[in-house]
Short mmCIF file of all heavy atoms in Angstrom, two decimals:
data_model
loop_
_atom_site.label_atom_id
_atom_site.label_comp_id
_atom_site.label_asym_id
_atom_site.label_seq_id
_atom_site.Cartn_x
_atom_site.Cartn_y
_atom_site.Cartn_z
N VAL N 412 -1.02 0.06 -28.59
CA VAL N 412 -0.63 -1.10 -27.80
C VAL N 412 -1.04 -0.92 -26.35
O VAL N 412 -1.57 -1.84 -25.70
CB VAL N 412 0.90 -1.34 -27.91
CG1 VAL N 412 1.33 -2.43 -26.95
CG2 VAL N 412 1.27 -1.69 -29.33
N LEU N 413 -0.80 0.28 -25.80
CA LEU N 413 -1.13 0.55 -24.41
C LEU N 413 -2.63 0.49 -24.19
O LEU N 413 -3.11 -0.06 -23.20
CB LEU N 413 -0.59 1.92 -24.00
CG LEU N 413 -0.56 2.22 -22.50
CD1 LEU N 413 0.23 1.17 -21.76
CD2 LEU N 413 -0.01 3.60 -22.25
N ASN N 414 -3.39 1.06 -25.11
CA ASN N 414 -4.84 0.98 -25.01
C ASN N 414 -5.30 -0.48 -25.04
O ASN N 414 -6.21 -0.88 -24.33
CB ASN N 414 -5.50 1.76 -26.16
CG ASN N 414 -5.47 3.26 -25.93
OD1 ASN N 414 -5.66 3.71 -24.81
ND2 ASN N 414 -5.20 4.02 -26.97
N GLY N 415 -4.65 -1.25 -25.91
CA GLY N 415 -4.98 -2.67 -26.00
C GLY N 415 -4.70 -3.40 -24.71
O GLY N 415 -5.51 -4.21 -24.25
N LEU N 416 -3.56 -3.10 -24.10
CA LEU N 416 -3.20 -3.75 -22.83
C LEU N 416 -4.23 -3.43 -21.76
O LEU N 416 -4.66 -4.33 -21.02
CB LEU N 416 -1.82 -3.28 -22.39
CG LEU N 416 -1.34 -3.78 -21.02
CD1 LEU N 416 -1.27 -5.31 -20.99
CD2 LEU N 416 0.01 -3.18 -20.65
N GLN N 417 -4.63 -2.17 -21.66
CA GLN N 417 -5.63 -1.79 -20.67
C GLN N 417 -6.94 -2.54 -20.90
O GLN N 417 -7.59 -3.01 -19.97
CB GLN N 417 -5.86 -0.28 -20.70
CG GLN N 417 -4.65 0.52 -20.22
CD GLN N 417 -4.78 1.99 -20.51
OE1 GLN N 417 -5.71 2.42 -21.19
NE2 GLN N 417 -3.85 2.78 -20.02
N ARG N 418 -7.33 -2.66 -22.16
CA ARG N 418 -8.58 -3.34 -22.51
C ARG N 418 -8.48 -4.83 -22.15
O ARG N 418 -9.40 -5.41 -21.58
CB ARG N 418 -8.87 -3.17 -24.00
CG ARG N 418 -10.23 -3.72 -24.43
CD ARG N 418 -10.55 -3.30 -25.85
NE ARG N 418 -9.62 -3.85 -26.83
CZ ARG N 418 -8.68 -3.15 -27.45
NH1 ARG N 418 -8.53 -1.86 -27.19
NH2 ARG N 418 -7.88 -3.72 -28.33
N PHE N 419 -7.33 -5.45 -22.47
CA PHE N 419 -7.16 -6.87 -22.19
C PHE N 419 -7.06 -7.14 -20.69
O PHE N 419 -7.52 -8.18 -20.21
CB PHE N 419 -5.91 -7.41 -22.91
CG PHE N 419 -6.05 -7.46 -24.40
CD1 PHE N 419 -5.05 -6.95 -25.23
CD2 PHE N 419 -7.17 -8.03 -24.99
CE1 PHE N 419 -5.17 -7.00 -26.60
CE2 PHE N 419 -7.30 -8.08 -26.37
CZ PHE N 419 -6.30 -7.57 -27.18
N LEU N 420 -6.47 -6.22 -19.93
CA LEU N 420 -6.41 -6.38 -18.48
C LEU N 420 -7.81 -6.35 -17.87
O LEU N 420 -8.11 -7.11 -16.94
CB LEU N 420 -5.54 -5.29 -17.85
CG LEU N 420 -4.02 -5.47 -17.97
CD1 LEU N 420 -3.29 -4.23 -17.50
CD2 LEU N 420 -3.55 -6.68 -17.18
N GLN N 421 -8.66 -5.50 -18.41
CA GLN N 421 -10.05 -5.45 -17.93
C GLN N 421 -10.77 -6.76 -18.23
O GLN N 421 -11.51 -7.29 -17.41
CB GLN N 421 -10.78 -4.28 -18.58
CG GLN N 421 -10.29 -2.91 -18.10
CD GLN N 421 -10.91 -1.77 -18.89
OE1 GLN N 421 -11.55 -1.98 -19.92
NE2 GLN N 421 -10.72 -0.55 -18.39
N ILE N 422 -10.53 -7.29 -19.43
CA ILE N 422 -11.14 -8.58 -19.80
C ILE N 422 -10.62 -9.68 -18.88
O ILE N 422 -11.38 -10.53 -18.41
CB ILE N 422 -10.85 -8.92 -21.27
CG1 ILE N 422 -11.53 -7.89 -22.20
CG2 ILE N 422 -11.33 -10.33 -21.61
CD1 ILE N 422 -11.14 -8.06 -23.66
N ALA N 423 -9.31 -9.67 -18.63
CA ALA N 423 -8.70 -10.69 -17.77
C ALA N 423 -9.33 -10.67 -16.38
O ALA N 423 -9.61 -11.72 -15.79
CB ALA N 423 -7.19 -10.47 -17.69
N GLU N 424 -9.55 -9.46 -15.84
CA GLU N 424 -10.16 -9.36 -14.52
C GLU N 424 -11.58 -9.92 -14.52
O GLU N 424 -11.97 -10.65 -13.62
CB GLU N 424 -10.18 -7.89 -14.07
CG GLU N 424 -8.82 -7.36 -13.64
CD GLU N 424 -8.90 -5.98 -13.05
OE1 GLU N 424 -10.04 -5.50 -12.84
OE2 GLU N 424 -7.86 -5.37 -12.80
N SER N 425 -12.34 -9.56 -15.56
CA SER N 425 -13.73 -10.00 -15.61
C SER N 425 -13.85 -11.51 -15.83
O SER N 425 -14.82 -12.14 -15.38
CB SER N 425 -14.48 -9.26 -16.72
OG SER N 425 -13.97 -9.61 -18.00
N MET N 426 -12.88 -12.11 -16.51
CA MET N 426 -12.92 -13.54 -16.81
C MET N 426 -12.08 -14.36 -15.84
O MET N 426 -11.95 -15.58 -16.00
CB MET N 426 -12.42 -13.78 -18.24
CG MET N 426 -13.25 -13.08 -19.32
SD MET N 426 -14.97 -13.66 -19.36
CE MET N 426 -14.73 -15.33 -19.94
N ASN N 427 -11.47 -13.68 -14.86
CA ASN N 427 -10.62 -14.35 -13.88
C ASN N 427 -9.41 -15.01 -14.53
O ASN N 427 -8.93 -16.05 -14.09
CB ASN N 427 -11.41 -15.40 -13.07
CG ASN N 427 -10.73 -15.73 -11.75
OD1 ASN N 427 -9.99 -14.91 -11.19
ND2 ASN N 427 -10.95 -16.93 -11.26
N TYR N 428 -8.91 -14.37 -15.63
CA TYR N 428 -7.68 -14.83 -16.26
C TYR N 428 -6.49 -14.22 -15.53
O TYR N 428 -6.61 -13.19 -14.85
CB TYR N 428 -7.61 -14.40 -17.72
CG TYR N 428 -8.66 -15.00 -18.64
CD1 TYR N 428 -8.90 -14.44 -19.89
CD2 TYR N 428 -9.40 -16.12 -18.27
CE1 TYR N 428 -9.86 -14.98 -20.75
CE2 TYR N 428 -10.36 -16.66 -19.10
CZ TYR N 428 -10.59 -16.08 -20.34
OH TYR N 428 -11.54 -16.61 -21.17
N LYS N 429 -5.33 -14.81 -15.71
CA LYS N 429 -4.12 -14.24 -15.15
C LYS N 429 -3.69 -13.04 -15.99
O LYS N 429 -3.95 -12.99 -17.20
CB LYS N 429 -3.01 -15.29 -15.12
CG LYS N 429 -3.25 -16.41 -14.12
CD LYS N 429 -2.08 -17.36 -14.05
CE LYS N 429 -2.32 -18.44 -13.00
NZ LYS N 429 -1.18 -19.39 -12.91
N PRO N 430 -3.01 -12.03 -15.39
CA PRO N 430 -2.57 -10.86 -16.14
C PRO N 430 -1.69 -11.20 -17.33
O PRO N 430 -1.65 -10.47 -18.33
CB PRO N 430 -1.81 -10.04 -15.09
CG PRO N 430 -2.39 -10.46 -13.80
CD PRO N 430 -2.72 -11.92 -13.95
N GLY N 431 -0.97 -12.34 -17.22
CA GLY N 431 -0.10 -12.74 -18.32
C GLY N 431 -0.86 -12.93 -19.62
O GLY N 431 -0.30 -12.72 -20.71
N TRP N 432 -2.14 -13.32 -19.53
CA TRP N 432 -2.95 -13.47 -20.73
C TRP N 432 -3.09 -12.13 -21.43
O TRP N 432 -2.96 -12.03 -22.65
CB TRP N 432 -4.34 -14.01 -20.35
CG TRP N 432 -5.29 -14.09 -21.51
CD1 TRP N 432 -5.44 -15.13 -22.38
CD2 TRP N 432 -6.23 -13.09 -21.92
NE1 TRP N 432 -6.40 -14.84 -23.32
CE2 TRP N 432 -6.91 -13.59 -23.06
CE3 TRP N 432 -6.56 -11.83 -21.44
CZ2 TRP N 432 -7.89 -12.85 -23.72
CZ3 TRP N 432 -7.54 -11.09 -22.08
CH2 TRP N 432 -8.20 -11.61 -23.22
N ALA N 433 -3.34 -11.07 -20.66
CA ALA N 433 -3.49 -9.73 -21.23
C ALA N 433 -2.19 -9.25 -21.85
O ALA N 433 -2.18 -8.63 -22.93
CB ALA N 433 -3.96 -8.75 -20.15
N VAL N 434 -1.08 -9.56 -21.18
CA VAL N 434 0.23 -9.17 -21.73
C VAL N 434 0.47 -9.86 -23.06
O VAL N 434 0.93 -9.24 -24.03
CB VAL N 434 1.35 -9.51 -20.72
CG1 VAL N 434 2.72 -9.27 -21.35
CG2 VAL N 434 1.19 -8.69 -19.45
N HIS N 435 0.16 -11.15 -23.13
CA HIS N 435 0.34 -11.91 -24.37
C HIS N 435 -0.49 -11.32 -25.50
O HIS N 435 -0.02 -11.16 -26.63
CB HIS N 435 -0.02 -13.37 -24.14
CG HIS N 435 0.01 -14.21 -25.38
ND1 HIS N 435 1.21 -14.63 -25.95
CD2 HIS N 435 -0.99 -14.71 -26.16
CE1 HIS N 435 0.93 -15.34 -27.03
NE2 HIS N 435 -0.39 -15.40 -27.18
#
Side-chain angles (χ1 to χ4, degrees):
V412 173
L413 194 56
N414 283 321
L416 176 60
Q417 292 169 353
R418 186 170 64 253
F419 291 132
L420 282 171
Q421 291 173 349
I422 295 173
E424 285 187 8
S425 66
M426 300 298 292
N427 201 27
Y428 295 164
K429 291 184 177 180
W432 175 87
V434 173
H435 175 75

